[in-house]
Amino acid sequence: MTKKRKRQDDFHKVKLKVGKKKPKVENATNVNFRSKRIHLPEQLNRDDGGPTTHRQLSIKDLLSQLHHYNSTVKQDALQGLRELLASHPYLVEQQASTVLPEVAALFTDKDGGVRVAATRLLRFLAQCIPAEHVAPFFPLLSAHLTCAMTHIAPGIQEDALRVLDVLLEHYPALLSQRHAVLLANFLELISQRRMGGAGGGARGGAGGDKGAGKGSYALSISTSRSVTAQQWRLTVLLRLSRFLQAVVEERPTEDRAEGAGFLSVWGGEKAVVTPLEVTWEEQACRTGAVRVFENSGAKPTPHSTYRLRPETEPGAGVSEGLCSAETVQGFAETLVPLLLEVWVEAMGGDRAPSDSGHLLSEEAMALMFQILTILQLLRRLAPHRDQQDMLDAWFRNSYLNEFKQHFMKNFPYCQLEIARHKKKTDAKRNRQQVVGGAAASGNVEPLALNVMLCQVMVSLSLRGRGHVTGQDADWLGPIRAFVTDTLSNGGKLGSKQLAALLEVVWRMIITQQSRLVTEELLQAVYIQYQQRNLGLPVRTLLLRFFSQLYIQEHQNHPHIARSRMLARWLASVPVQLVQLGSRNPQLSAQLLQTVQSAAAWGNNDVLRNLQAHACNIYDPQEGCIVVLPAELQQHLVQILYFMPAFPADVLACLSHACNTGRVSASLATALIRTVHLRSPLSGWSSSSHDVPVRDVDYLSFLFSTLTGFSSEGLRELQQADEEGLLPASALSPLSVFSTPLQQFTHHWDVVEEVCHCLETLGSRVQCFEILQNAIIKNLCGLVVLPDCVCAAMLRCVPRLLDVNFLPSDTLLHFLSDCSLSMLSLLLQLEQSARKRDAVWEACFAALSTVPRLLRLLLQSLRVCDLCEEELPLLAQLLSLLLQHTQLRNHMAANNALLQTIIQDLTRFYGSETREQWLTDLLYCYSVTLSGHRANMAVRDIY
């Protein structure tokens, strides 16, 4: 049998077996691949959320975490915000509108750590954001602060005071605008309303009831606080005094101008005057009159007694604003009884034996100081001076007896020394001291406490007609004795304590109106004033006290005007001005104001000492007239108007001061004008035995000022070998010294004023004769002269020359030499435009006005005496004279001399080629004289 061959199928089926690997398909695709990662960190790092902290949290993330329920998360978010804003300062103002509301909302958080962190962040933001940028959000901050201050939790109230400290430090003006709400919050921190007693209990209780029913508020005590009640009240009162201080200081200037310091509080009502500087030289050329206004252009202080009815009943608390005495009184009726209760409770728990009642512990002194500070600030809350008087009268009628009983009974106070053992204080005790205000208020010195008490009590004394001698002697006597002893015991006082003591002295002098009391107090102040090595603030306060007391009060109070101590101080003011000099311009200004006021009022002591030290004050080398600033120099010049007499030595000092250049030209002209007005030659009316300035001394003063150099200076100049000295020659008979431009212009302005004064004298012929003799005696024999002296003589002589007076030949030869020397100086040296114009104007005015002066000048020009280098200068000089319009007639009159000079110049060069300068001269000569002949011919025809 044959075998069958297997048939080959087209699609062979592969049998798969269990456990065997599946065979690969012939057309299978290989899907295996290898890849490498590309790392681009900068490209993938996208910053969509802005800057972040080290925990990679943006400001949006941090703000969202502030609403988290966990206090730790909120603390970390506040710390992160501080870190983020500190590292990116530009975010502070960008995110202020978002961050500030969120931070303010955490003032009332239940966790203390969150509140502390929020306060730290607020302090950081306050250091970076100015007040004008915080103003739109401040109502919200104030609202959250109010919620925290009135919160039921004691811890939140304590932290609210820290927030208040931050706002008082950085935004006092914004915070003071919210006083209507915040003052009520302070009351609720230490007290609570009485049940059914919101009405007039304060007014009725202040006068009669002595129990706890006084006022609408009663002190509150919380047992849940970590500090004692007295420490808590001290803390609140400290913040209240700071807040009231901010309210007073941030009041507009016109409201607090009178209460700014002791020198203006008792000085009466003064309107603010804005001085107007009037230049009389400009007004003299105007046709219109100078307008004069009432009150010197100032806004007068209103004296209206009309008052609107208060919107709230007295004692009801704080109104919408402390804009009147009634609203301040309403708040005081609520606060003052509470302050008295605080002090009574503190002294009741710290009661000492009767013989040591003046000894107070450190905490009691701090508490009493804050109470007195608040009482003093309450007075200053009144907007106007008359309202302060009303408030003082109300305080006196309502609380004088209680103040005397609680405060003045043991005056003056001292500190009770307590022996303390050195023990380690725990953290809780330290926290109690800080929260309680012991560390915040600082150690109060007994002197500061006693001075503050004097300020408060003296403000309650009567003044004016209501005062009766000896009426308040029982409590004013100890105050006067304390003030006198403190000022006269030789101790050094700080500026703040001294200012308060001087305020007390000022008030007592005004209110007591007793010459004996005035002498006693002023003697104590003068002892303090005579101490050596006083600081500048202390010296300034003492000086201002005496100065303003005399200026403001001596006319209204005879007992001040007749004070011997004040007269003694006034007599020493000129000596102090000389000794002080320029070491302190501020003190010198105060002394000058006093001297000027006393001299204007005719104080004989001041005028006598001013006359005795006038040479030292107006010394041209080291006197006050040259070392003080320009504004003070003006006061010194104004004082000259009241000087009793002007001896020759004083006038010499004044003349040298005008010429040294250390006084401005305008001030020098004012000085000359003042001396001129005091001279009898100007019309000053005085008796024959009491002449301020003698005629001889006055004319000597004018001539010395006109020359600009002293006789010693001119004598030294004859032997000097200066670089700017032009040697004498045929074209310059005098050796001219070229002065600097600043000195020349200064002297030129002075010369103009001297010429004006000489022109206003009675007889011009006599005046010119005196001037001529002075020039011949002092200047004609000199070989070297400064250019300013030559220009001054050429300027002054034509202005004073009378047509009926013929000058002497000596004077004419001197003026001819001056003119020729000055013209040669201008041609040889490069001068400034102003100096050149001034010299040309003076020379041409003299040549055209003074008879025979031009002829003498032309006669002195001899070509044979000139060298070859000087011939072009001569030609240029003649060209200038020919081209000047005012000299054409005079040049034509001297045609023969001029023609001779030109012929000599032409003959000198002979037949050689002419120089350009000679050609120009001949052209000017021909044009000038031909035009002049034509004009003469036309005039002859008609």
Side-chain angles (χ1 to χ4, degrees):
M1 294 179 88
T2 59
K3 293 183 179 179
K4 293 183 179 181
R5 194 173 50 182
K6 289 185 178 181
R7 180 183 167 198
Q8 296 293 334
D9 297 333
D10 294 336
F11 301 97
H12 181 67
K13 182 178 181 182
V14 179
K15 292 182 179 181
L16 302 177
K17 294 182 180 180
V18 180
K20 299 294 182 178
K21 188 176 181 180
K22 184 179 178 180
K24 294 182 179 180
V25 186
E26 295 180 357
N27 59 350
T29 303
N30 187 8
V31 296
N32 295 330
F33 63 90
R34 296 176 63 185
S35 64
K36 291 184 178 181
R37 184 174 59 180
I38 301 176
H39 186 61
L40 300 175
E42 298 296 334
Q43 182 178 1
L44 298 178
N45 187 14
R46 294 183 179 180
D47 194 8
D48 297 334
T52 59
T53 62
H54 71 283
R55 298 170 55 197
Q56 304 301 319
L57 294 177
S58 64
I59 190 169
K60 188 178 297 183
D61 300 333
L62 295 173
L63 291 175
S64 63
Q65 289 183 3
L66 295 181
H67 301 278
H68 200 273
Y69 65 90
N70 193 338
S71 60
T72 304
V73 175
K74 288 188 282 188
Q75 289 187 48
D76 294 340
L78 291 171
Q79 295 176 0
L81 281 174
R82 185 177 179 183
E83 174 193 347
L84 186 62
L85 297 177
S87 58
H88 302 84
Y90 66 91
L91 291 177
V92 176
E93 294 192 8
Q94 288 183 2
Q95 303 294 333
S97 59
T98 307
V99 176
L100 284 176
E102 297 292 341
V103 174
L106 298 178
F107 292 167
T108 55
D109 192 88
K110 63 180 180 180
D111 185 76
V114 174
R115 296 194 301 270
V116 172
T119 305
R120 292 176 180 173
L121 180 58
L122 178 65
R123 184 179 298 276
F124 171 76
L125 293 174
Q127 295 173 355
C128 303
I129 307 177
E132 56 270 15
H133 295 172
V134 180
F137 318 108
F138 203 80
L140 183 60
L141 290 175
S142 177
H144 284 288
L145 176 62
T146 301
C147 294
M149 293 177 68
T150 58
H151 202 275
I152 193 173
I156 296 179
Q157 293 180 359
E158 296 173 0
D159 293 331
L161 296 182
R162 296 188 176 92
V163 175
L164 182 68
D165 292 338
V166 175
L167 299 180
L168 279 175
E169 180 182 357
H170 297 281
Y171 308 117
L174 297 176
L175 196 65
S176 62
Q177 298 174 2
R178 317 291 299 179
H179 63 267
V181 178
L182 293 177
L183 287 177
N185 297 339
F186 281 106
L187 296 178
E188 296 184 4
L189 286 175
I190 60 173
S191 63
Q192 59 185 1
R193 287 185 177 271
R194 298 181 186 273
M195 299 301 296
R203 181 178 293 275
D209 291 340
K210 302 294 181 183
K214 182 190 300 184
S216 58
Y217 283 79
L219 292 179
S220 60
I221 299 177
S222 177
T223 58
S224 59
R225 297 189 186 277
S226 58
V227 295
T228 63
Q230 184 174 344
Q231 291 176 343
W232 170 246
R233 291 165 187 165
L234 175 59
T235 305
V236 175
L237 294 181
L238 174 64
R239 270 65 175 201
L240 177 58
S241 64
R242 293 177 180 175
F243 179 72
L244 292 177
Q245 184 69 29
V247 173
V248 172
E249 291 179 354
E250 298 299 332
R251 187 177 299 161
T253 306
E254 59 271 12
D255 292 342
R256 62 182 176 93
E258 297 167 359
F262 69 91
L263 297 178
S264 55
V265 170
W266 315 121
E269 295 182 350
K270 299 284 190 294
V272 180
V273 180
T274 301
L276 178 62
E277 297 294 337
V278 179
T279 304
W280 297 108
E281 289 80 359
E282 299 177 358
Q283 298 292 333
C285 302
R286 308 176 92 184
T287 57
V290 180
R291 301 178 64 185
V292 180
F293 297 93
E294 186 181 4
N295 299 304
S296 301
K299 182 179 179 181
T301 306
H303 295 275
S304 175
T305 58
Y306 180 75
R307 293 290 181 271
L308 294 176
R309 178 180 62 86
E311 299 179 358
T312 59
E313 293 296 331
V318 184
S319 67
E320 290 299 325
L322 301 175
C323 57
S324 64
E326 288 81 4
T327 55
V328 177
Q329 178 180 336
F331 176 65
E333 284 183 338
T334 305
L335 179 62
V336 175
L338 292 176
L339 297 178
L340 293 175
E341 290 183 20
V342 169
W343 177 246
V344 171
E345 181 176 327
M347 293 302 294
D350 200 12
R351 179 66 64 184
S354 58
D355 56 346
S356 59
H358 64 287
L359 298 177
L360 298 179
S361 62
E362 182 179 344
E363 189 172 347
M365 291 183 65
L367 181 62
M368 186 178 185
F369 183 79
Q370 296 305 324
I371 292 174
L372 295 175
T373 303
I374 293 172
L375 292 176
Q376 182 71 3
L377 291 172
L378 284 176
R379 294 182 50 256
R380 298 177 59 186
L381 286 177
H384 303 291
R385 180 71 183 90
D386 54 347
Q387 294 181 351
Q388 287 186 4
D389 293 338
M390 294 173 55
L391 201 59
D392 290 342
W394 175 79
F395 268 111
R396 177 184 176 88
N397 297 331
S398 302
Y399 299 106
L400 178 60
N401 294 330
E402 297 187 2
F403 288 174
K404 289 162 56 177
Q405 177 184 355
H406 298 301
F407 298 143
M408 293 300 300
K409 183 178 180 180
N410 299 314
F411 177 81
Y413 294 96
C414 299
Q415 186 173 357
L416 178 63
E417 298 293 340
I418 300 177
R420 297 180 179 178
H421 300 283
K422 294 183 179 181
K423 293 183 178 180
K424 293 183 179 180
T425 56
D426 53 356
K428 182 178 180 180
R429 179 61 180 174
N430 291 333
R431 182 175 182 274
Q432 288 180 357
Q433 290 180 356
V434 174
V435 175
S441 60
N443 296 327
V444 178
E445 298 180 358
L447 178 60
L449 176 65
N450 293 323
V451 171
M452 182 61 69
L453 180 56
C454 293
Q455 285 184 279
V456 173
M457 295 303 298
V458 168
S459 65
L460 304 181
S461 61
L462 290 175
R463 63 180 300 182
R465 298 180 180 178
H467 174 72
V468 179
T469 305
Q471 183 176 1
D472 299 328
D474 56 335
W475 55 276
L476 283 179
I479 292 178
R480 186 171 68 251
F482 169 77
V483 172
T484 304
D485 295 340
T486 304
L487 291 172
S488 59
N489 61 4
K492 296 296 180 65
L493 299 174
S495 58
K496 188 175 182 180
Q497 298 171 351
L498 181 63
L501 283 172
L502 294 179
E503 181 180 344
V504 173
V505 172
W506 186 293
R507 177 72 187 226
M508 294 185 71
I509 290 175
I510 300 301
T511 56
Q512 295 290 294
Q513 296 186 356
S514 170
R515 187 173 180 180
L516 181 62
V517 174
T518 302
E519 291 296 328
E520 181 183 358
L521 293 173
L522 289 183
Q523 184 178 4
V525 178
Y526 191 73
I527 293 174
Q528 185 73 19
Y529 183 82
Q530 287 182 315
Q531 290 189 13
R532 296 184 177 181
N533 302 324
L534 292 178
L536 178 59
V538 174
R539 181 69 68 185
T540 304
L541 284 172
L542 292 168
L543 183 58
R544 286 191 64 204
F545 172 81
F546 280 111
S547 177
Q548 297 302 319
L549 182 66
Y550 174 75
I551 294 174
Q552 296 182 9
E553 303 294 347
H554 88 281
Q555 287 186 317
N556 301 326
H557 301 280
H559 66 284
I560 297 179
R562 294 193 298 265
S563 173
R564 296 181 179 178
M565 295 305 304
L566 187 59
R568 181 180 176 184
W569 177 81
L570 284 172
S572 65
V573 170
V575 182
Q576 298 178 42
L577 184 61
V578 174
Q579 295 175 351
L580 185 60
S582 62
R583 288 180 294 176
N584 192 306
Q586 182 180 1
L587 296 181
S588 299
Q590 192 68 45
L591 290 173
L592 279 176
Q593 182 184 8
T594 307
V595 172
Q596 188 173 1
S597 301
W601 282 318
N603 189 285
N604 294 327
D605 297 332
V606 174
L607 292 176
R608 190 182 308 111
N609 286 274
L610 182 64
Q611 183 71 55
H613 298 87
C615 292
N616 296 325
I617 295 176
Y618 296 97
D619 181 59
Q621 300 299 328
E622 299 179 354
C624 299
I625 189 64
V626 294
V627 298
L628 290 179
E631 58 273 10
L632 300 184
Q633 292 177 352
Q634 185 176 2
H635 291 290
L636 285 170
V637 173
Q638 294 171 356
I639 291 174
L640 289 174
Y641 190 81
F642 309 103
M643 188 82 73
F646 292 86
D649 53 351
V650 175
L651 290 176
C653 292
L654 295 177
S655 176
H656 294 168
C658 293
N659 296 325
T660 53
R662 301 175 68 180
V663 177
S664 64
S666 59
L667 196 60
T669 55
L671 189 152
I672 297 171
R673 192 180 302 117
T674 302
V675 177
H676 173 71
L677 292 175
R678 297 296 307 277
S679 172
L681 295 177
S682 65
W684 182 272
S685 59
S686 60
S687 62
S688 58
H689 301 286
D690 187 17
V691 178
V693 187
R694 295 192 308 165
D695 296 344
V696 177
D697 296 338
Y698 172 64
L699 292 174
S700 300
F701 164 76
L702 290 182
F703 183 76
S704 300
T705 309
L706 181 65
T707 56
F709 281 81
S710 63
S711 58
E712 294 81 6
L714 292 176
R715 194 179 304 112
E716 293 176 358
L717 195 61
Q718 306 305 311
Q719 303 174 356
D721 187 12
E722 301 289 342
E723 295 181 357
L725 191 64
L726 181 65
S729 62
L731 284 181
S732 179
L734 298 176
S735 182
V736 180
F737 172 70
S738 180
T739 56
L741 176 62
Q742 183 178 3
Q743 181 181 354
F744 184 89
T745 55
H746 173 86
H747 185 253
W748 188 255
D749 295 335
V750 172
V751 167
E752 292 291 338
E753 183 61 31
V754 172
C755 293
H756 174 73
C757 294
L758 290 173
E759 288 175 340
T760 57
L761 299 183
S763 175
R764 176 168 293 191
V765 176
Q766 295 180 357
C767 180
F768 184 83
E769 187 175 1
I770 294 173
L771 178 63
Q772 175 180 263
N773 296 332
I775 294 175
I776 295 173
K777 180 180 179 181
N778 297 280
L779 299 179
C780 286
L782 301 179
V783 180
V784 181
L785 282 179
D787 55 357
C788 59
V789 177
C790 297
M793 297 302 110
L794 294 174
R795 178 63 175 170
C796 184
V797 169
R799 294 181 61 173
L800 297 179
L801 181 61
D802 190 85
V803 293
N804 300 322
F805 185 83
L806 294 177
S808 65
D809 294 340
T810 307
L811 178 63
L812 290 177
H813 283 89
F814 173 75
L815 294 178
S816 174
D817 294 343
C818 289
S819 301
L820 185 57
S821 301
M822 291 301 296
L823 291 175
S824 301
L825 176 67
L826 294 181
L827 294 177
Q828 297 183 39
L829 301 179
E830 295 183 359
Q831 305 293 340
S832 64
R834 183 180 179 185
K835 187 175 183 179
R836 182 176 61 252
D837 295 342
V839 172
W840 280 357
E841 179 184 359
C843 291
F844 292 142
L847 292 174
S848 61
T849 304
V850 180
R852 299 188 300 130
L853 181 59
L854 181 59
R855 175 177 290 273
L856 291 176
L857 186 143
L858 294 176
Q859 289 177 353
S860 63
L861 298 176
R862 298 178 181 179
V863 180
C864 59
D865 297 337
L866 301 179
C867 60
E868 187 175 356
E869 290 79 8
E870 293 177 340
L871 295 179
L873 295 177
L874 175 59
Q876 189 176 359
L877 176 61
L878 293 176
S879 300
L880 290 175
L881 296 177
L882 289 170
Q883 293 174 4
H884 201 276
T885 306
Q886 298 179 359
L887 296 179
R888 286 181 180 179
N889 295 334
H890 299 277
M891 295 295 289
N894 297 281
N895 186 21
L897 290 173
L898 185 61
Q899 187 175 3
T900 303
I901 296 173
I902 295 177
Q903 290 177 355
D904 292 341
L905 284 173
T906 308
R907 190 181 305 110
F908 181 82
Y909 278 90
S911 60
E912 298 179 2
T913 305
R914 292 180 180 176
E915 297 289 341
Q916 183 64 36
W917 53 266
L918 183 57
T919 305
D920 296 340
L921 174 60
L922 294 175
Y923 175 77
C924 291
Y925 173 75
S926 61
V927 171
T928 302
L929 293 185
S930 62
H932 178 74
R933 292 193 189 96
N935 294 333
M936 292 293 293
V938 172
R939 287 197 298 269
D940 293 341
I941 292 174
Y942 290 94

